[in-house]
Amino acid sequence: HLSSALDYAEDTGGGLVPVPLTNAVTRVAELRGESFGNIVARVSSTVSLEGGVAVELSRLRAGIDRVTTQRLLFVKPSAALVWTPSDQAQVRVAMRRTVDQLDFGDFAASVNQADGRPLGGNSSLRPARITRGLVRVDRRWGQGGAAAVEAWHQWHRGQFGYLRLPSGDEALATIGDARVLGLTSTLAVPFEPWLPGARLLVEGTLRRSRITDPLTLQPRLVDDTAPRLLSAEFRHDLPRLRSSWGLRGRLAERLQTTYTREIMVETFGRAWGAYLETTAIRGFKLTVNADAIGGRDSHRLRQFFTPSRIGVPAGTDVRQMHEGAVVSVTLSRPL
């Protein structure tokens, strides 16, 4: 349940002028239930079939004076073929249908004051339906060693993006169907017996996304879908000292968001961190955490067009930011 009320005005030199926004005052409520069932069938000693289906039923109401009611029914099947040739290896081929979760805040008007971007609320939002097919290979060895590689393809039906409402306000709305292809890998490497209690965890994802832009009718990236993610963490547990310490890092990430009159590209630089955890102090847990060691740079480019992105360029806004290191010390005690 969400209740929202917003008063917004702009001053262009002659004093504040109220700006009406769609669903500036609204109320959103949802009643939802789900039932599901799963089954596993053995084909042989090494091959099994998994199947399932879930049914989600909801009633979504948005508005105050003019209430919009949606009754939604989603059937979400899943199936998988699993081959387990040994205790250390497994191959999975699967397909699953899911439904995105709605953010009630998107039904209500909002304003990003720092960027001067008012957004109307859309009371007719429906969640995107996602069908995901994948092939995953898992391999384990030794004391905690593991590797996994997963190739996947997602079909998004009813993907969200920014459009002009009939009222003229910009808001989130369904803009069409999208596809996202990806490759995800995870690697856990223990350092036994050379360094007992230590391990390295690396996680990475490559993605390609595509959706047809409703304004230009040309393919573009799906909003807020980074094409590359890579992170790593080294952790060393010291049981005799009742302590652990570790290092972590993340490579730069790039995100793009497309509005009706603007394209915004944000790049967040690589970041390093470290931590120390100990329960050596009787009855307490001490955590020392350091983020953005050496600083973290970010870059944001906003390209403007008039009257919309199918019009002519109307300027750019470039912002360079530097985040310094943040160190925190936490002392906690369980009740």
Side-chain angles (χ1 to χ4, degrees), residues 140-271:
R140 298 180 182 276
W141 68 89
Q143 300 180 14
V149 178
E150 181 178 310
W152 46 271
H153 189 173
Q154 287 186 175
W155 295 265
H156 296 235
R157 184 179 178 187
Q159 180 67 33
F160 283 176
Y162 290 96
L163 283 179
R164 289 286 178 187
L165 300 177
S167 63
D169 298 337
E170 184 172 26
L172 271 181
T174 298
I175 64 172
D177 299 337
R179 291 195 307 164
V180 183
L181 291 83
L183 182 68
T184 301
S185 62
T186 304
L187 177 65
V189 181
F191 285 81
E192 307 284 352
W194 307 284
L195 191 61
R199 69 166 187 164
L200 175 68
L201 178 64
V202 181
E203 297 178 312
T205 298
L206 296 174
R207 289 187 291 205
R208 278 188 70 182
S209 63
R210 178 185 177 125
I211 190 171
T212 299
D213 192 287
L215 288 181
T216 65
L217 303 181
Q218 298 297 316
R220 66 166 173 86
L221 299 177
V222 174
D223 288 342
D224 297 327
T225 303
R228 183 188 68 178
L229 300 171
L230 181 62
S231 62
E233 178 182 354
F234 173 82
R235 180 181 178 91
H236 190 192
D237 296 322
L238 304 169
R240 292 185 178 180
L241 300 178
R242 300 170 62 185
S243 304
S244 300
W245 68 276
L247 302 171
R248 56 178 176 263
R250 180 181 294 271
L251 287 188
E253 300 173 10
R254 182 180 182 273
L255 297 173
Q256 177 175 310
T257 306
T258 305
Y259 299 93
T260 55
R261 297 197 303 171
E262 173 189 343
I263 298 175
M264 182 171 68
V265 178
E266 297 176 286
T267 302
F268 302 93
R270 62 186 181 183

Side-chain angles (χ1 to χ4, degrees), residues 97-160:
R97 181 175 296 167
T98 58
V99 177
D100 258 358
Q101 298 300 309
L102 293 172
D103 185 342
F104 282 4
D106 296 330
F107 288 78
S110 62
V111 178
N112 185 326
Q113 196 64 39
D115 291 341
R117 185 186 301 114
L119 296 174
N122 188 349
S123 58
S124 300
L125 290 175
R126 292 170 59 93
R129 283 78 71 201
I130 301 173
T131 301
R132 180 184 179 104
L134 64 89
V135 178
R136 180 183 176 94
V137 179
D138 287 273
R139 181 73 169 87
R140 298 180 182 276
W141 68 89
Q143 300 180 14
V149 178
E150 181 178 310
W152 46 271
H153 189 173
Q154 287 186 175
W155 295 265
H156 296 235
R157 184 179 178 187
Q159 180 67 33
F160 283 176

Side-chain angles (χ1 to χ4, degrees), residues 41-78:
R42 280 283 181 184
V43 178
S44 69
S45 60
T46 59
V47 178
S48 63
L49 285 172
E50 300 175 358
V53 63
V55 178
E56 180 181 315
L57 181 66
S58 66
R59 186 189 67 185
L60 191 62
R61 297 169 62 91
I64 294 181
D65 298 328
R66 185 177 179 180
V67 179
T68 299
T69 301
Q70 298 187 72
R71 289 178 172 83
L72 306 175
L73 173 65
F74 301 108
V75 180
K76 302 180 289 185
S78 62

Side-chain angles (χ1 to χ4, degrees), residues 299-313:
H299 176 272
R300 189 180 74 168
L301 171 64
R302 299 173 66 192
Q303 298 175 291
F304 303 99
F305 303 84
T306 185
S308 69
R309 284 186 289 104
I310 58 176
V312 298

